[in-house]
């Protein structure tokens, strides 16, 4: 989901014909809200699995990195992105560019890498 939405859908949507910044942001807010809800549900399932299973410390660590990245995104980064997109959706496009978005992407990369590492550890 992270790969498909964050690294494929999100950048491509702005290249579609007639998709304005306001439309793209409106769609993005809905998509990322749904993504984050699904991620939280899956994170809870992972936590339950870690509690009832007998994972290695490496698996616990990689899962913890992914879950921490998600938590930071939701609690620390998304509110700033929401405030920015609120301004743009209200017609103020002066703050359309934002470094906060790059922070969110950085956490997406960390989360993706941790999930891949966790998956590799589980397969071994």
């Amino acid at each position: 989901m992270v790969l498909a939405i964050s690294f494929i859908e999100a950048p491509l949507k702005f290249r579609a014909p007639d998709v304005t910044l306001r439309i793209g942001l409106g769609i993005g807010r809905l998509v990322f809200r749904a993504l984050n809800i699904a991620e939280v549900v899956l994170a809870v399932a992972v936590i339950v699995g870690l509690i009832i299973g007998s994972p290695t410390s490496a698996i616990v660590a990689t899962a913890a990195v992914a879950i921490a990245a998600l938590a930071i995104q939701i609690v620390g980064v998304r509110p700033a992105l929401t405030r920015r997109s609120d301004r743009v959706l209200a017609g103020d496009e002066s703050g359309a560019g934002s470094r906060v978005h790059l922070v969110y992407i950085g956490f997406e990369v960390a989360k993706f890498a941790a999930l891949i590492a966790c998956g590799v550890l589980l397969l071994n």
Side-chain angles (χ1 to χ4, degrees):
M1 289 187 314
V2 172
L3 178 63
I5 291 175
S6 293
F7 301 113
I8 298 173
E9 181 274 337
L12 288 178
K13 113 178 111 229
F14 289 102
R15 294 185 183 163
D18 300 322
V19 173
T20 64
L21 178 61
R22 292 185 69 201
I23 291 170
L25 285 176
I27 293 167
R29 285 171 66 148
L30 293 173
V31 169
F32 277 90
R33 184 178 305 128
L35 171 65
N36 289 156
I37 289 168
E39 288 176 313
V40 167
V41 169
L42 292 172
V44 169
V46 167
I47 291 168
V48 170
L50 293 173
I51 291 169
I52 64 173
S54 55
T56 65
S57 58
I59 290 172
V60 172
T62 56
V65 168
I67 293 168
L70 174 63
I72 292 167
Q73 284 179 306
I74 292 172
V75 175
V77 183
R78 283 263 333 257
L81 289 174
T82 299
R83 285 190 299 276
R84 182 180 141 275
S85 64
D86 284 345
R87 288 192 309 271
V88 173
L89 291 171
D92 176 14
E93 293 190 20
S94 64
S98 169
R99 293 184 197 262
V100 178
H101 189 253
L102 297 176
V103 172
Y104 191 91
I105 292 169
F107 282 108
E108 286 290 80
V109 170
K111 187 170 53 180
F112 183 73
L115 291 170
I116 293 296
C118 193
V120 168
L121 290 167
L122 285 168
L123 292 174
N124 290 330

